[in-house]
Amino acid sequence: MNHDTFMHAAIGLANDGLNAGRGGPFGCVVVRRGEIVGRGNNRVTSTNDPTAHAEVTAIRDACARLKTFQLTDCELYTSCEPCPMCLSAIYWARIPTVYYGNTRQDAAAIGFDDDFIYQQVPLPPEQRTIRMEPLLREEALGTFRRWAALENKVRY
């Protein structure tokens, strides 16, 4: 198996999902040591879950199969450059390498918000189109202090 094989698998999942009416035209596979260990395609509209992007569903599948929350020895192949949410999930999963087909500009050209969200992320909270206001910080910090004091916590 080579890079093209895995990218073809991701594109195939995008087409499968599109043909089945599950969601947008996106597919993804997670690969570990030359074997596909996670598969996903966009299921946003079929599950009424805005987080059910191809990369997220593939990461969830891989983590469940491998019984881990870190995929440090895996690669991710996706039919489109990951949106900010998916990119964040990739960072959280500690996946070191991503291969992608379409760009975020390609996604924007067919009506997806990826590029817009990328533009919003670096803005200060008060300049974003979504209103964001801090609230009850001191109370919330109590939980953070309890976490920091835990000796048996599982770091991630």
Side-chain angles (χ1 to χ4, degrees), residues 29-32 37-38 55-56 58-76 89-97:
V29 295
V30 176
V31 175
R32 181 180 186 218
V37 295
E55 295 89 344
V56 171
I59 288 169
R60 289 174 180 163
D61 186 39
C63 288
R65 288 175 192 250
L66 299 175
K67 297 180 178 23
T68 184
F69 56 86
Q70 292 191 340
L71 302 172
T72 56
D73 58 349
C74 295
E75 301 170 325
L76 186 138
I90 291 163
Y91 273 103
W92 280 115
R94 309 292 195 253
I95 297 171
T97 306

Side-chain angles (χ1 to χ4, degrees), residues 12 18 23 28 35 38-39 49 89 110:
L18 185 63
C28 181
E35 178 186 346
R39 290 175 173 79
D49 179 356
I110 61 167

Side-chain angles (χ1 to χ4, degrees), residues 1-11 77 99:
M1 298 257 208
N2 61 34
H3 294 302
D4 289 356
T5 302
F6 298 127
M7 185 56 77
H8 281 297
I11 294 168
Y77 294 78
Y99 300 94

Side-chain angles (χ1 to χ4, degrees), residues 15-137:
N15 284 315
D16 291 348
L18 185 63
N19 294 340
R22 287 190 207 112
F26 306 98
C28 181
V29 295
V30 176
V31 175
R32 181 180 186 218
R33 298 184 194 126
E35 178 186 346
I36 295 175
V37 295
R39 290 175 173 79
N41 61 337
N42 185 287
R43 294 168 184 252
V44 169
T45 58
S46 62
T47 62
N48 295 315
D49 179 356
T51 69
H53 289 201
E55 295 89 344
V56 171
T57 58
I59 288 169
R60 289 174 180 163
D61 186 39
C63 288
R65 288 175 192 250
L66 299 175
K67 297 180 178 23
T68 184
F69 56 86
Q70 292 191 340
L71 302 172
T72 56
D73 58 349
C74 295
E75 301 170 325
L76 186 138
Y77 294 78
T78 179
S79 64
C80 185
E81 181 180 357
C83 75
M85 177 186 69
C86 293
L87 182 60
S88 296
I90 291 163
Y91 273 103
W92 280 115
R94 309 292 195 253
I95 297 171
T97 306
V98 173
Y99 300 94
Y100 62 91
N102 296 308
T103 67
R104 64 188 190 212
Q105 292 81 12
D106 297 332
I110 61 167
F112 288 91
D113 288 342
D114 304 37
D115 197 48
F116 169 73
I117 297 169
Y118 268 106
Q119 293 170 24
Q120 290 284 300
V121 170
L123 295 176
E126 64 276 3
Q127 291 181 15
R128 295 179 185 150
T129 59
I130 294 175
R131 186 174 136 197
M132 299 183 71
E133 293 188 32
L135 184 64
L136 297 177
R137 180 170 180 250

